[in-house]
């Protein structure tokens, strides 16, 4: 009887610790791999001379240090060095000079980035 109480108490302590760790509200996007993976959908790029679009494209998101890289298929240049901040609805928005216009969650990626190198769009899911 005493051994079963110790087992139950131990299990409750482990579950409590897991719950406390998983419910942290001040998680920095740079500390999570929530976005890492491949999103599929409509993507496009233009630099004024070249126009590339793919209705069934893909964007692979990778984490490098505290920034993210967006690798496109079909000859579209990658976007690198992107940082995020959390918005009120649980999605994350890109911040930084020339890299704004990206909204991402675990299941959706929406992008309209315009800078000196061109314009990228994406409307993707995973």
């Amino acid at each position: 009887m005493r051994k079963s109480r110790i087992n139950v108490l131990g299990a409750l302590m482990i579950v409590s610790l897991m719950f406390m760790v998983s419910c942290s509200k001040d998680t920095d996007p740079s500390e999570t791999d929530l976005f890492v993976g491949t999103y599929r959908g409509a993507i496009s790029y233009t630099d004024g001379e070249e126009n590339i679009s793919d209705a069934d494209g893909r964007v692979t998101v990778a984490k490098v240090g505290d920034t993210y890289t967006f690798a496109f298929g079909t000859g579209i240049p990658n976007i690198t060095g992107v940082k995020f901040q959390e918005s009120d609805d649980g999605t994350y928005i890109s911040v930084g000079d020339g890299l704004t216009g990206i909204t991402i969650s675990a299941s959706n990626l929406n992008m309209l980035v315009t800078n000196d190198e061109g314009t990228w769009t994406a409307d993707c899911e995973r």
Side-chain angles (χ1 to χ4, degrees):
M1 181 89 159
R2 184 167 191 225
K3 190 174 186 177
S4 67
R5 284 185 184 172
I6 292 173
N7 287 343
V8 169
L9 183 58
L12 285 174
M13 288 175 55
I14 290 172
V15 170
S16 296
L17 284 172
M18 288 173 42
F19 181 74
M20 289 187 314
V21 169
S22 68
C23 291
S24 174
K25 289 197 177 249
D26 54 351
T27 300
D28 186 325
S30 66
E31 298 171 356
T32 182
D33 293 333
L34 175 70
F35 319 137
V36 173
T38 301
Y39 295 78
R40 298 184 188 283
I43 59 174
S44 69
Y45 171 78
T46 185
D47 63 2
E49 296 177 18
E50 182 177 28
N51 294 307
I52 303 169
S53 64
D54 189 346
D56 191 29
R58 64 179 168 77
V59 181
T60 301
V61 181
K63 184 177 173 185
V64 180
D66 66 344
T67 63
Y68 290 85
T69 296
F70 293 80
F72 297 82
T74 49
I76 295 175
N78 296 342
I79 297 176
T80 61
V82 181
K83 292 188 177 192
F84 288 94
Q85 81 181 41
E86 188 171 11
S87 66
D88 292 336
D89 64 357
T91 61
Y92 289 82
I93 56 172
S94 59
V95 294
D97 190 33
L99 296 173
T100 59
I102 303 171
T103 304
I104 194 167
S105 69
S107 58
N108 292 301
L109 168 64
N110 292 293
M111 177 184 300
L112 174 56
V113 173
T114 300
N115 60 31
D116 293 341
E117 298 175 33
T119 300
W120 293 257
T121 66
D123 184 12
C124 300
E125 297 178 342
R126 67 172 174 170

